[in-house]
Amino acid sequence: MLFNSFSFLIFFIVVYGFYWLLNKDYRQQNILLFVSSYIFYGWWDVRFLFLIVLSTYIDYCTSLLIDNDKLSKNENRLASAYLIGAGFLFVTCKWNSVNWLNNDFSHILLLPTNLQGWWVTIGAILFVLFFNVIHKIASANPKLNHRKFYLFQSVIVNLLILGIFKYYNFFAESFIQLWAGLTGNTPGELTTKIILPVGISFFTFQTMSHTIDVYRKRIPATSSLLELSTYIAFFPQLVAGPIERGAHLLPQFQRKRTVTYDEFRSGIWLIFWGLFKKIVIADNVSNIVNVTFGPYDSLSITTVPTDGLQCLISVYAFAIQIYCDFSGYTDMARGTARLLGFDIMLNFNLPYIAVNPSDFWRRWHISLSSWLADYLYIPLGGNRKGHFNTHRNLALTMILGGLWHGAAWTFVIWGFFHGGILILYRLLGDRDSEMKLRLIKIIKIIGMFHLTCIGWLLFRAQNLTTIKVFIVAIFTNFHFSSQAIETFNNLLYYSWFLLLFQAIQAYSKELDPMQNWHWFIRLNVWIFIITCIFRLAPVGTSEFIYFAF
């Protein structure tokens, strides 16, 4: 279900109405949010709900074991029934055989007739038994560090879920290509293609962060399976973040929620502003990007483009597209959550005015960059063990951050590139101290923006050939053409208001500057935004770029 779809509008209106009818009891609201979140995610493919339940099961059990060194019978039974029931309900039952538009259900066979169709339910039962056996063996061993052991269990299971469904195809195909290059023989297919579940990187990272924070004693483990399940599957930020921490979001499920007038106003603004960025800017600008990149995506063309300026403008266009697409989703997620009485963390803070790589990663995808810093870079040693180790830790963190974005060598190169410029700026001694000369700051911003755009070329390219030919074209075939000028005009047509509004945000140092404006100016901004949404939105709905991650 897409935020920019009519089906989500109907879904949210219904959920929102029932939600505030239950405002006297936040626990009943949690039940509604839990069911609604599973419906929201299951709208794509109900089978993949089992992965969320599996991740929730292991996090629930291990966090309680880490915190209390025990799991009560009721907690164990409830969690076990939850996992086994999910395997049966979401995977074993063949919901795809149901034609909901047909009133005749007499010939529908919902349950499989062979043993193979029951393998997920059987596997869930075996997994529960295995987990309980391991738990008993571990608890009986006084020499074992129980807290570390249970943390290890949680991290391994979540990484296995992520690895199998996101990276197996990538490594299998890479092995096939390597083997063929070394031996001249192509091995048979290792497996059939594994489908990538929507948002798997987001909910597995969110789950892991909760268990790690319990281990670090930053938060206590919750005994409420409902609260934890709803925290992990909370529909506004489930499929594309922000990646929330348990210390920030989980307590909000444990108390009554209220919404003030200012929160309601800002929530509505975030939804419409995000919608504007997505369907007016990102979806229209994507046509500019795809016209230039498209022939190289399929390698139907491999020659160097003759118009380097066109290539450069298309890279600029992708920088605007990916920012508006991803930050637009985040704005809508934050606005939706705010209307429900929740506060979701800021994920973007004017990233294209960054003066250096460190500043950029404090502004872009803040939830991921802070996650990588807290759970990867710092545990590796951070900057505490000398320059060489610091640079190594930066490189490893950014390479793994690149691989988090997708199973392709272009993402690895993108991560390596960002690690490289982080190290370069450190070697040059660049610091974030307040700059008295505005001209120097502007030069730094322009320089960092173009380094970011080089990274976006690596990110957008579907193959290494595209990277090579675009770089050659930009630096050797750079000349003005009527097509490049037309492309630039189209880009400016869709993005001028964004550039103006963000300039105002940067100058005023206020992400919501409209709250201080005269009512007549605010009214005109609203009229402009809504008119653009209705007049300039492309036909149909398109997925958000980060749904693939």
Side-chain angles (χ1 to χ4, degrees):
M1 196 179 298
L2 301 170
F3 280 169
N4 52 326
S5 66
F6 184 73
S7 57
F8 177 77
L9 175 62
I10 300 301
F11 165 83
F12 185 70
I13 290 173
V14 173
V15 171
Y16 196 66
F18 281 107
Y19 182 80
W20 289 114
L21 284 174
L22 301 171
N23 67 331
K24 292 183 179 179
D25 189 343
Y26 73 87
R27 295 176 183 83
Q28 293 183 13
Q29 289 181 323
N30 288 345
I31 295 173
L32 175 65
L33 290 175
F34 169 74
V35 174
S36 303
S37 297
Y38 273 41
I39 292 173
F40 175 83
Y41 190 81
W43 198 267
W44 280 285
D45 193 326
V46 70
R47 296 172 299 172
F48 291 132
L49 280 170
F50 178 73
L51 297 179
I52 296 179
V53 173
L54 176 59
S55 186
T56 304
Y57 169 84
I58 195 69
D59 182 34
Y60 176 74
C61 294
T62 54
S63 61
L64 284 171
L65 288 168
I66 289 169
D67 210 23
N68 306 323
D69 200 28
K70 64 179 181 179
L71 198 64
S72 71
K73 289 184 178 180
N74 287 337
E75 291 167 344
N76 193 13
R77 288 169 182 168
L78 179 62
S80 300
Y82 179 50
L83 180 64
I84 295 168
F88 171 77
L89 186 63
F90 299 142
V91 184
T92 300
C93 292
K94 299 188 294 183
W95 297 108
N96 58 346
S97 67
V98 178
N99 182 0
W100 299 102
L101 299 178
N102 184 359
N103 293 324
D104 182 14
F105 301 108
S106 58
H107 301 291
I108 292 174
L109 190 62
L110 201 58
L111 297 179
T113 57
N114 53 55
L115 189 62
Q116 184 178 3
W118 290 83
W119 75 271
V120 171
T121 302
I122 296 171
I125 295 171
L126 294 176
F127 183 86
V128 167
L129 293 173
F130 177 76
F131 180 85
N132 280 275
V133 169
I134 293 295
H135 167 220
K136 287 184 179 180
I137 294 174
S139 61
N141 186 351
K143 296 181 179 180
L144 184 68
N145 186 323
H146 294 165
R147 300 181 79 250
K148 282 188 176 180
F149 177 75
Y150 296 130
L151 174 67
F152 178 79
Q153 272 189 310
S154 176
V155 172
I156 288 298
V157 171
N158 279 288
L159 289 179
L160 280 174
I161 293 172
L162 188 62
I164 291 172
F165 284 89
K166 187 165 185 175
Y167 300 108
Y168 184 84
N169 290 334
F170 168 64
F171 288 113
E173 291 171 0
S174 297
F175 171 77
I176 290 171
Q177 293 173 3
L178 178 63
W179 185 263
L182 292 174
T183 66
N185 298 317
T186 302
E189 288 291 332
L190 299 181
T191 183
T192 56
K193 291 289 183 182
I194 295 177
I195 301 173
L196 177 64
V198 175
I200 187 171
S201 298
F202 289 91
F203 68 74
T204 51
F205 268 39
Q206 184 158 311
T207 307
M208 282 194 293
S209 71
H210 173 261
T211 312
I212 295 170
D213 284 349
V214 171
Y215 174 79
R216 293 176 174 177
K217 297 184 178 181
R218 292 179 177 174
I219 56 173
T222 176
S223 60
S224 172
L225 181 58
L226 172 64
E227 290 173 357
L228 184 65
S229 300
T230 312
Y231 152 74
I232 293 173
F234 189 42
F235 73 85
Q237 47 83 228
L238 171 60
V239 293
I243 305 168
E244 278 289 350
R245 309 291 180 88
H248 178 239
L249 184 58
L250 187 55
Q252 298 181 53
F253 290 99
Q254 299 168 338
R255 61 173 182 255
K256 182 178 175 63
R257 275 86 61 176
T258 58
V259 178
T260 66
Y261 170 77
D262 287 338
E263 289 170 338
F264 183 84
R265 179 198 60 79
S266 64
I268 293 293
W269 165 252
L270 282 170
I271 291 172
F272 275 89
W273 179 234
L275 197 61
F276 174 82
K277 287 199 284 187
K278 166 58 178 173
I279 67 177
V280 174
I281 302 176
D283 287 354
N284 282 300
V285 169
S286 68
N287 296 326
I288 298 172
V289 176
N290 294 337
V291 165
T292 306
F293 278 89
Y296 293 91
D297 290 343
S298 59
L299 291 178
S300 59
I301 298 177
T302 57
T303 56
V304 176
T306 58
D307 194 342
L309 180 58
Q310 171 76 12
C311 294
L312 179 61
I313 293 172
S314 296
V315 174
Y316 290 156
F318 181 69
I320 292 175
Q321 179 198 352
I322 193 169
Y323 168 71
C324 289
D325 193 283
F326 193 15
S327 70
Y329 178 92
T330 300
D331 288 340
M332 285 184 272
R334 294 180 67 225
T336 302
R338 191 163 294 179
L339 293 182
L340 295 168
F342 289 86
D343 174 61
I344 289 181
M345 70 176 293
L346 181 71
N347 210 22
F348 292 88
N349 185 8
L350 306 178
Y352 291 149
I353 66 167
V355 295
N356 57 46
S358 297
D359 191 25
F360 175 79
W361 285 107
R362 284 192 293 269
R363 296 172 177 272
W364 176 275
H365 205 345
I366 300 169
S367 64
L368 175 64
S369 57
S370 60
W371 196 102
L372 291 173
D374 291 344
Y375 302 112
L376 186 58
Y377 175 68
I378 293 175
L380 284 173
N383 58 1
R384 301 188 303 274
K385 298 182 179 179
H387 293 299
F388 174 80
N389 288 332
T390 298
H391 298 158
R392 178 205 63 189
N393 297 339
L394 282 171
L396 285 174
T397 300
M398 294 313 301
I399 289 170
L400 290 173
L403 193 59
W404 176 90
H405 281 83
W409 289 112
T410 51
F411 293 120
V412 176
I413 296 171
W414 178 77
F416 183 82
F417 171 78
H418 272 281
I421 61 175
L422 276 166
I423 294 170
L424 178 63
Y425 269 72
R426 287 183 65 88
L427 291 173
L428 293 175
D430 188 88
R431 293 293 182 266
D432 296 335
S433 58
E434 191 68 27
M435 300 174 203
K436 295 182 180 179
L437 294 177
R438 184 170 294 180
L439 179 60
I440 295 177
K441 184 174 183 179
I442 291 173
I443 292 172
K444 286 193 170 189
I445 290 173
I446 293 172
M448 185 60 217
F449 174 72
H450 282 85
L451 285 174
T452 303
C453 285
I454 294 174
W456 289 139
L457 171 58
L458 306 177
F459 193 95
R460 173 59 179 81
Q462 301 293 309
N463 50 72
L464 300 180
T465 300
T466 303
I467 299 172
K468 175 184 175 182
V469 299
F470 269 56
I471 290 175
V472 172
I474 290 170
F475 285 99
T476 63
N477 292 341
F478 192 87
H479 62 271
F480 288 91
S481 67
S482 58
Q483 183 180 1
I485 294 172
E486 181 183 356
T487 299
F488 177 77
N489 290 336
N490 288 335
L491 177 60
L492 193 60
Y493 175 76
Y494 290 112
S495 60
W496 72 268
F497 186 77
L498 171 77
L499 302 177
L500 174 63
F501 193 79
Q502 298 220 314
I504 295 171
Q505 289 175 305
Y507 181 79
S508 64
K509 297 182 180 180
E510 183 71 57
L511 289 180
D512 187 11
M514 283 196 6
Q515 62 182 329
N516 302 318
W517 296 352
H518 190 273
W519 70 266
F520 186 72
I521 299 175
R522 295 200 305 268
L523 176 62
N524 278 275
V525 171
W526 272 104
I527 292 173
F528 174 78
I529 293 292
I530 294 173
T531 302
C532 287
I533 289 173
F534 281 100
R535 294 295 300 273
L536 298 179
V539 177
T541 55
S542 62
E543 285 194 352
F544 293 83
I545 292 174
Y546 265 69
F547 277 20
F549 308 138

